[in-house]
Amino acid sequence: MTGPRGNVLELAVLGSLHETPLHGYELRKRLNTLLGMFRAFSYGSLYPCLKGLLTEGLIVEEEPPEDVVLGRRSKIVYKLTAEGKERLQELLTQAGPSAWEDESFGIHFAFFRHTEAEVRLRILEGRRSRLEERLDAVRTALARTRERLDSYTLELQKHGLESVEREVRWLNELINTERAQAVQNQVDRDEDPDSQ
């Protein structure tokens, strides 16, 4: 997998297979259920990704035992390898700008339960920073062009602005929760002499 889009799909597949082995249909269904609001995955993108992960040795194919197959074609099940688990951890530690972008933020967020607290915080803060930059740009553009916009375009601009402001508030709440949890964890470690 190469490029940001490849890494996004790779993370989504490896993260899903980390939970349990799945066949292609189940995997696509799980990805669309888990991440559907962020993006939908087609078989046209999923199967080339699976082929690449197989070639790289990050996943393996397993066929169910013959006694399980009852007259129908068996479904190949995809399973994460040890190398696949290592690659997943590598992807989960990436907290740079690519993790903050619209294309990948939702997928990183979906697997936060497997992500280190400090990485989660960097991703959340980066996302907030990116959205605040976007807000400033939209506000500036809106102030310059307000008189030239028709009422519908103006309403669309306001709607976009409100959506981004709402996401920034949500991110602020998540960041505050992450920071409070980090403080609590430190207090717990300080109070427990056996943890040191």
Side-chain angles (χ1 to χ4, degrees), residues 145-160:
T145 60
R146 182 180 291 272
E147 309 81 40
R148 294 180 292 206
L149 297 176
D150 64 78
S151 62
Y152 297 106
T153 304
L154 186 59
E155 283 303 314
L156 186 60
Q157 294 291 327
K158 287 180 184 177
H159 173 68

Side-chain angles (χ1 to χ4, degrees), residues 8-33:
V8 167
L9 185 52
E10 181 180 9
L11 172 59
V13 169
L14 294 176
S16 295
L17 292 177
H18 181 69
E19 307 287 322
T20 185
L22 298 164
H23 61 74
Y25 173 77
E26 291 172 327
L27 179 58
R28 180 175 176 260
K29 187 176 172 185
R30 179 172 288 204
L31 291 173
N32 286 332
T33 299

Side-chain angles (χ1 to χ4, degrees), residues 98-157:
S98 66
W100 315 333
E101 298 299 333
D102 295 342
E103 179 74 17
S104 60
F105 174 74
I107 293 172
H108 277 274
F109 190 81
F111 296 109
F112 262 18
R113 68 188 171 280
H114 302 297
T115 306
E116 300 267 335
E118 60 203 43
V119 174
R120 287 193 309 262
L121 192 56
R122 279 198 310 266
I123 291 172
L124 292 171
E125 289 172 340
R127 177 71 177 167
R128 180 181 63 187
S129 173
R130 183 60 42 92
L131 289 177
E132 287 172 341
E133 290 170 8
R134 192 179 296 167
L135 276 175
D136 288 343
V138 170
R139 285 179 181 138
T140 301
L142 197 55
R144 274 188 271 148
T145 60
R146 182 180 291 272
E147 309 81 40
R148 294 180 292 206
L149 297 176
D150 64 78
S151 62
Y152 297 106
T153 304
L154 186 59
E155 283 303 314
L156 186 60
Q157 294 291 327

Side-chain angles (χ1 to χ4, degrees), residues 12-130:
V13 169
L14 294 176
S16 295
L17 292 177
H18 181 69
E19 307 287 322
T20 185
L22 298 164
H23 61 74
Y25 173 77
E26 291 172 327
L27 179 58
R28 180 175 176 260
K29 187 176 172 185
R30 179 172 288 204
L31 291 173
N32 286 332
T33 299
L34 179 67
L35 308 167
M37 73 174 58
F38 303 109
R39 64 179 300 159
F41 292 106
S42 68
Y43 289 116
S45 60
L46 179 59
Y47 281 107
C49 176
L50 289 170
K51 184 177 180 184
L53 296 173
L54 283 164
T55 302
E56 293 177 41
L58 302 177
I59 62 173
V60 292
E61 293 177 329
E62 292 183 349
E63 291 199 35
E66 284 190 34
D67 59 336
V68 174
V69 181
L70 301 172
R72 291 178 31 194
R73 192 171 70 115
S74 66
K75 293 182 180 177
I76 294 173
V77 174
Y78 298 96
K79 184 177 177 181
L80 210 56
T81 63
E83 293 82 7
K85 290 176 184 177
E86 288 176 17
R87 177 66 178 149
L88 174 60
Q89 287 308 309
E90 179 186 320
L91 291 170
L92 290 173
T93 62
Q94 295 176 358
S98 66
W100 315 333
E101 298 299 333
D102 295 342
E103 179 74 17
S104 60
F105 174 74
I107 293 172
H108 277 274
F109 190 81
F111 296 109
F112 262 18
R113 68 188 171 280
H114 302 297
T115 306
E116 300 267 335
E118 60 203 43
V119 174
R120 287 193 309 262
L121 192 56
R122 279 198 310 266
I123 291 172
L124 292 171
E125 289 172 340
R127 177 71 177 167
R128 180 181 63 187
S129 173
R130 183 60 42 92

Side-chain angles (χ1 to χ4, degrees), residues 160-187:
L161 196 60
E162 290 168 3
S163 296
V164 176
E165 288 170 341
R166 191 170 32 257
E167 186 173 348
V168 168
R169 284 191 303 272
W170 174 70
L171 288 165
N172 284 332
E173 291 171 12
L174 291 170
I175 289 167
N176 291 338
T177 300
E178 288 286 334
R179 287 182 178 155
Q181 185 62 49
V183 168
Q184 185 59 50
N185 289 344
Q186 185 60 46
V187 168

